[in-house]
Amino acid sequence: VGGSLNSANDLEPWILRLCNVLPALASDSSMPGVLGICFGHQILAKALGGRVERNSAFGVQLGKRRFTAGDTALARQKLSGLGQQITSIAAHGDAVMAIPPGAESLGESTPCCYEGFVTGNGRVITFQCHPEFGGSQFGCRAYLGLMEAMEQAGEVDGKLDCRRDTTGTDDQALREAVWAHFEQTRPKSAL
Protein backbone atom coordinates (compact mmCIF):
# COMPACT_ATOMS: atom_id res chain seq x y z
CA VAL A 1 0.00 0.00 0.00
CA GLY A 2 1.71 3.16 -1.20
CA GLY A 3 1.50 6.86 -0.66
CA SER A 4 -1.45 9.19 -1.13
CA LEU A 5 -2.21 12.87 -0.77
CA ASN A 6 -5.15 11.74 1.39
CA SER A 7 -5.05 11.17 5.13
CA ALA A 8 -5.72 7.76 6.63
CA ASN A 9 -8.38 9.59 8.65
CA ASP A 10 -10.25 10.93 5.61
CA LEU A 11 -13.77 9.59 5.20
CA GLU A 12 -13.47 8.92 1.47
CA PRO A 13 -15.31 5.72 0.48
CA TRP A 14 -12.17 4.10 -0.92
CA ILE A 15 -10.27 4.73 2.33
CA LEU A 16 -13.09 3.24 4.41
CA ARG A 17 -13.18 0.16 2.13
CA LEU A 18 -9.39 -0.17 2.36
CA CYS A 19 -9.58 -0.07 6.18
CA ASN A 20 -12.12 -2.90 6.03
CA VAL A 21 -10.04 -5.07 3.67
CA LEU A 22 -6.57 -4.66 5.21
CA PRO A 23 -7.12 -6.69 8.41
CA ALA A 24 -8.06 -9.75 6.35
CA LEU A 25 -5.03 -9.34 4.09
CA ALA A 26 -2.79 -8.87 7.11
CA SER A 27 -3.94 -12.15 8.64
CA ASP A 28 -4.32 -14.41 5.56
CA SER A 29 -1.22 -16.61 5.60
CA SER A 30 -2.01 -18.00 2.14
CA MET A 31 -1.43 -14.55 0.62
CA PRO A 32 1.85 -12.70 0.16
CA GLY A 33 2.70 -10.21 2.91
CA VAL A 34 1.65 -6.56 2.95
CA LEU A 35 4.05 -3.61 2.64
CA GLY A 36 2.97 -0.14 3.72
CA ILE A 37 4.85 3.00 2.65
CA CYS A 38 3.91 6.46 4.00
CA PHE A 39 0.10 6.55 3.67
CA GLY A 40 0.30 2.74 3.55
CA HIS A 41 2.15 2.76 6.89
CA GLN A 42 -0.54 5.03 8.33
CA ILE A 43 -3.60 3.24 6.91
CA LEU A 44 -2.28 -0.17 7.99
CA ALA A 45 -1.65 1.16 11.49
CA LYS A 46 -5.19 2.54 11.65
CA ALA A 47 -6.87 -0.52 10.10
CA LEU A 48 -5.06 -2.87 12.50
CA GLY A 49 -5.90 -0.91 15.65
CA GLY A 50 -3.24 1.81 15.84
CA ARG A 51 -3.75 5.58 15.81
CA VAL A 52 -2.88 8.18 13.15
CA GLU A 53 -2.98 11.95 13.64
CA ARG A 54 -1.99 15.12 11.85
CA ASN A 55 1.60 15.83 12.84
CA SER A 56 0.76 19.30 14.15
CA ALA A 57 3.89 19.54 16.33
CA PHE A 58 6.26 19.20 13.36
CA GLY A 59 4.13 19.95 10.28
CA VAL A 60 4.73 18.48 6.85
CA GLN A 61 7.94 16.47 6.64
CA LEU A 62 9.58 16.74 3.24
CA GLY A 63 13.07 15.83 2.08
CA LYS A 64 15.88 13.71 3.45
CA ARG A 65 15.48 12.72 7.06
CA ARG A 66 17.25 10.39 9.47
CA PHE A 67 15.58 7.99 11.80
CA THR A 68 16.96 5.72 14.49
CA ALA A 69 16.50 2.00 13.98
CA GLY A 70 14.63 0.23 16.74
CA ASP A 71 16.72 -1.39 19.45
CA THR A 72 14.91 -4.73 19.57
CA ALA A 73 16.08 -8.08 18.22
CA LEU A 74 13.37 -7.98 15.55
CA ALA A 75 14.24 -4.45 14.41
CA ARG A 76 17.94 -5.35 14.27
CA GLN A 77 17.10 -8.47 12.25
CA LYS A 78 14.83 -6.67 9.78
CA LEU A 79 17.19 -3.70 9.35
CA SER A 80 20.49 -5.58 9.50
CA GLY A 81 23.22 -3.94 7.47
CA LEU A 82 21.65 -0.49 7.72
CA GLY A 83 23.29 0.83 10.87
CA GLN A 84 21.63 2.65 13.75
CA GLN A 85 20.91 5.89 11.81
CA ILE A 86 18.97 5.44 8.56
CA THR A 87 18.53 8.22 5.99
CA SER A 88 15.53 8.18 3.68
CA ILE A 89 13.07 10.50 1.96
CA ALA A 90 10.05 11.88 3.81
CA ALA A 91 6.89 13.37 2.33
CA HIS A 92 3.99 13.36 4.80
CA GLY A 93 1.87 15.48 7.10
CA ASP A 94 0.32 12.74 9.27
CA ALA A 95 2.10 10.38 11.66
CA VAL A 96 1.39 7.09 13.40
CA MET A 97 0.99 7.90 17.09
CA ALA A 98 0.28 4.32 18.22
CA ILE A 99 1.13 1.08 16.40
CA PRO A 100 -1.32 -1.82 16.32
CA PRO A 101 -1.49 -4.21 19.27
CA GLY A 102 1.16 -6.92 18.93
CA ALA A 103 3.21 -4.94 16.38
CA GLU A 104 6.82 -3.98 16.99
CA SER A 105 8.41 -0.64 16.15
CA LEU A 106 11.20 -0.62 13.58
CA GLY A 107 12.42 2.89 14.38
CA GLU A 108 11.72 6.42 15.50
CA SER A 109 12.64 10.03 14.84
CA THR A 110 11.89 13.35 16.50
CA PRO A 111 8.93 14.06 14.17
CA CYS A 112 7.61 10.47 14.18
CA CYS A 113 7.25 8.15 17.17
CA TYR A 114 6.95 5.21 14.78
CA GLU A 115 8.97 5.27 11.56
CA GLY A 116 7.90 1.71 10.81
CA PHE A 117 6.49 -1.45 12.33
CA VAL A 118 6.16 -5.15 11.72
CA THR A 119 3.17 -7.15 12.95
CA GLY A 120 3.60 -10.06 15.31
CA ASN A 121 2.81 -12.59 12.60
CA GLY A 122 5.33 -10.93 10.26
CA ARG A 123 2.74 -10.49 7.52
CA VAL A 124 2.91 -6.67 7.55
CA ILE A 125 5.97 -4.44 7.42
CA THR A 126 5.66 -0.67 7.08
CA PHE A 127 7.77 2.48 6.85
CA GLN A 128 6.80 6.14 7.13
CA CYS A 129 9.61 7.06 4.73
CA HIS A 130 9.74 6.56 0.97
CA PRO A 131 12.54 4.07 0.20
CA GLU A 132 11.33 3.93 -3.39
CA PHE A 133 12.42 7.53 -4.03
CA GLY A 134 16.13 7.55 -3.22
CA GLY A 135 18.96 6.11 -5.27
CA SER A 136 17.33 5.95 -8.69
CA GLN A 137 16.44 8.32 -11.49
CA PHE A 138 12.86 7.01 -11.60
CA GLY A 139 12.48 7.44 -7.83
CA CYS A 140 13.79 10.99 -8.03
CA ARG A 141 11.27 11.85 -10.75
CA ALA A 142 8.43 10.31 -8.75
CA TYR A 143 9.47 12.28 -5.67
CA LEU A 144 9.62 15.56 -7.58
CA GLY A 145 6.13 14.85 -8.95
CA LEU A 146 4.84 14.23 -5.43
CA MET A 147 6.41 17.47 -4.18
CA GLU A 148 4.69 19.39 -6.97
CA ALA A 149 1.35 17.74 -6.16
CA MET A 150 1.77 18.59 -2.47
CA GLU A 151 2.59 22.18 -3.42
CA GLN A 152 -0.53 22.44 -5.60
CA ALA A 153 -2.66 20.94 -2.81
CA GLY A 154 -1.41 23.64 -0.45
CA GLU A 155 0.48 21.17 1.77
CA VAL A 156 3.84 22.95 1.41
CA ASP A 157 4.89 26.54 0.83
CA GLY A 158 6.77 26.27 -2.46
CA LYS A 159 10.24 26.72 -0.98
CA LEU A 160 11.28 23.25 -2.04
CA ASP A 161 14.62 23.68 -3.76
CA CYS A 162 16.58 22.53 -0.71
CA ARG A 163 14.48 19.37 -0.49
CA ARG A 164 14.92 18.09 -4.03
CA ASP A 165 18.09 16.09 -3.37
CA THR A 166 17.44 12.33 -3.20
CA THR A 167 21.09 11.23 -3.14
CA GLY A 168 22.98 9.94 -0.13
CA THR A 169 20.11 7.92 1.31
CA ASP A 170 19.98 4.36 2.64
CA ASP A 171 16.99 3.66 0.39
CA GLN A 172 18.59 0.87 -1.66
CA ALA A 173 19.59 -1.01 1.51
CA LEU A 174 16.11 -0.38 2.94
CA ARG A 175 14.50 -1.81 -0.21
CA GLU A 176 16.78 -4.86 0.09
CA ALA A 177 15.74 -5.30 3.75
CA VAL A 178 12.07 -5.26 2.73
CA TRP A 179 12.75 -7.81 -0.02
CA ALA A 180 14.59 -10.06 2.46
CA HIS A 181 11.66 -9.79 4.89
CA PHE A 182 9.19 -10.96 2.27
CA GLU A 183 11.52 -13.72 1.08
CA GLN A 184 11.58 -15.04 4.67
CA THR A 185 7.85 -14.69 5.30
CA ARG A 186 6.25 -15.63 1.98
CA PRO A 187 3.77 -18.51 2.05
CA LYS A 188 5.04 -21.88 0.89
CA SER A 189 2.32 -21.94 -1.80
CA ALA A 190 3.94 -18.84 -3.40
CA LEU A 191 7.21 -20.68 -4.10
Side-chain angles (χ1 to χ4, degrees):
V1 182
S4 172
L5 291 178
N6 288 89
S7 168
N9 293 318
D10 286 348
L11 299 177
E12 300 284 334
W14 71 270
I15 293 173
L16 299 174
R17 285 192 303 274
L18 187 58
C19 279
N20 288 330
V21 168
L22 287 173
L25 286 175
S27 64
D28 186 348
S29 62
S30 69
M31 298 288 291
V34 181
L35 170 64
I37 299 295
C38 193
F39 170 81
H41 164 69
Q42 298 161 9
I43 198 78
L44 278 156
K46 180 179 178 177
L48 300 177
R51 191 176 82 251
V52 177
E53 295 177 6
R54 193 78 180 151
N55 196 348
S56 57
F58 293 95
V60 173
Q61 300 295 301
L62 194 60
K64 282 195 282 194
R65 191 183 69 228
R66 285 185 167 217
F67 69 92
T68 303
D71 195 28
T72 65
L74 183 62
R76 285 191 300 274
Q77 173 199 5
K78 297 301 175 191
L79 302 175
S80 66
L82 280 154
Q84 191 63 20
Q85 294 295 309
I86 299 168
T87 302
S88 188
I89 304 296
H92 61 92
D94 289 352
V96 172
M97 300 300 184
I99 57 176
E104 192 166 319
S105 174
L106 291 176
E108 65 183 12
S109 68
T110 300
C112 292
C113 302
Y114 301 100
E115 286 283 351
F117 67 86
V118 63
T119 55
N121 64 5
R123 301 247 333 111
V124 173
I125 188 168
T126 73
F127 292 97
Q128 180 58 71
C129 63
H130 283 275
E132 74 278 21
F133 287 158
S136 76
Q137 193 173 38
F138 173 78
C140 181
R141 286 185 184 143
Y143 173 62
L144 293 175
L146 175 63
M147 286 186 5
E148 289 171 11
M150 290 178 79
E151 193 173 6
Q152 290 173 1
E155 291 284 325
V156 293
D157 62 9
K159 299 175 184 163
L160 301 174
D161 289 340
C162 64
R163 301 174 186 164
R164 294 185 187 279
D165 180 19
T166 63
T167 61
T169 67
D170 296 309
D171 288 336
Q172 180 62 38
L174 199 50
R175 290 189 296 264
E176 290 169 6
V178 168
W179 181 259
H181 168 77
F182 285 118
E183 282 289 307
Q184 294 168 357
T185 60
R186 71 178 170 188
K188 300 298 183 229
S189 61
L191 297 175

